[in-house]
Amino acid sequence: MNHLKVIIIGAGIGGLTAGLTLRRAGYAIEIYEKTNEIRPAGAGISLWSNGVKVLNSLGLGDEVAKIGGLMDVMEYRSHRNELFNRISLHPVIQTVGQRPYPVSRTALQSLLLKAFNSDTETVKLNAQCIGIEQDEHRVTAYFADGYQTSGDVLIAADGIHSQLRDYVVGHPVELRYANYVNWNGLIEIQEDLGDKNTWVIYVGEGKRASMMPIGNNRFYYFFGCPMVKGTWVEPEYRQQELKQIFVGWPFPVQRLIERLNPYESNRLEIHDLDPLETLVKGRVALLGDAAHATTPTLGQGGCQAMEDAEILSRFLLTTNLGVEYALKRYEAERKERTSTLVLKARKRADMIYGKDPELTQKWYEQLKQETERDVTDALCKTILGGPFH
Ligand code: FAD
């Protein structure tokens, strides 16, 4: 279809990538963002090869390579520093045809924003969408300040706490607490923290601590520990909190806790969404976390938002049967892929964080037996299940 006007709500990874894929398809795009400054939540993100391929197809391959970390090896260790396995990621790169790039979120967000903003089209800030109406010809978005705009398609890319999701699904949808807390941030790479090309993951006692190299000589670090809902710790007490949780863990973990800047750390209760029965309503489509928020245990949430953007633009561009038809095809294509990954990530979170301690113990044993081939096959299966094989 030619000459569509597309309204996108939300300028996160999903909204901005959709803006780029849909503009590449030749459409007029308006992106509305409720905050007055685009501030990414969280410090780092691992863009697996499927996400990177979407950026490559947008001509952003060189840019993402510049901000990405060189992650050559993946290493699992126990909380007593026993090496469970150490695996080269090169067989994965060879099989899927693209390196993964762990990046800082700020760098990724500004790369996408810079690519989207042009002399004629820029993201409109301070624009909180509060409602949508549609008929068989148009869809209209209403904003908190009284502004309204109409178009042919509306993409609700308004994140995990989406206000527009209930409209699409037709009833209120609750998030599900995943029963653990995640702390994350960035720290300069130092030799006594870990190898600069290695993603190290320490696991034990139903908890984990990890460091992953991103661009500009930094590690993206994260910790996870099961916890009841509703806890909060101010930044100044976070090192103390982490020291208690990870007492007796290997020296690199202790040093990381000592040296991290708590005022630049994040502490989040992790939630996900049960797979939704529908992702579209007429001319409106959910995209990214609004459609399929996931626990981050496969590192695929942002990558799936990018895949959504790719598929949506393909289906709109390659049919003349109308917008609603194209969105239904988008839904059919994305529902199974994203539901499978959300449930897989949930199962993995339960295993990592000791929901059933016996299963978690078995997983530690299994990590010791896993071959490079086992790990490579699992990663490739996830990556290759998307639009770019
Ligand atoms: P968001 O990034 O949340 O963007 C939504 C935007 O919409 C926001 O800017 C918001 O302000 C705006 N908005 C909201 N409501 C309105 C409104 N009413 N009107 C206008 N604007 C609105 N993914 C990976 O691929 N790899 C990883 O390694 C990874 N690690 C993660 C680690 C953690 C701890 C967490 C929590 C997530 C991780 N993810 C990862 C998932 C990834 O962060 C998300 O999937 C991704 O950010 C979703 O992008 P989005 O654009 O859908 O939503």
Side-chain angles (χ1 to χ4, degrees), residues 7 22 32 37 44 46 53 57 67 73 89 96 102 118 140 143 146 163 197 265 281 301 332 351 355 367 370 376:
I7 299 165
L22 291 160
Y32 295 90
E37 187 194 349
S46 171
K53 285 181 185 181
S57 78
I67 61 168
V73 175
L89 286 170
V96 305
S118 68
T140 302
F143 294 85
Q163 278 181 273
N197 68 342
S265 70
K281 178 173 179 167
M351 190 168 64
K355 186 173 181 196
L367 284 175
E370 265 180 357
T376 303

Side-chain angles (χ1 to χ4, degrees), residues 10 12-14 33-34 45-46 105 127 129 158 163 289 296 299 301-303:
I13 296 173
E33 165 58 46
K34 75 173 175 189
I45 184 167
S46 171
R105 283 184 186 256
C129 180
D158 53 344
Q163 278 181 273
D289 278 9
C303 298

Side-chain angles (χ1 to χ4, degrees), residues 153-172:
V153 187
L154 185 142
I155 312 300
D158 53 344
I160 186 167
H161 301 291
S162 171
Q163 278 181 273
L164 306 182
R165 181 164 48 222
D166 292 355
Y167 166 83
V168 172
V169 180
H171 58 79

Side-chain angles (χ1 to χ4, degrees), residues 74-115:
M74 183 178 162
E75 192 175 281
Y76 265 99
R77 289 180 172 273
S78 80
H79 68 304
R80 297 286 174 244
N81 217 9
E82 180 189 351
L83 182 64
F84 281 167
N85 63 41
R86 183 178 161 83
I87 277 155
S88 165
L89 286 170
H90 286 274
V92 177
I93 298 168
Q94 285 303 315
T95 306
V96 305
Q98 174 58 52
R99 242 184 196 286
Y101 283 121
V103 293
S104 105
R105 283 184 186 256
T106 313
L108 176 63
Q109 202 82 9
S110 38
L111 186 160
L112 293 171
L113 190 62
K114 204 167 131 220

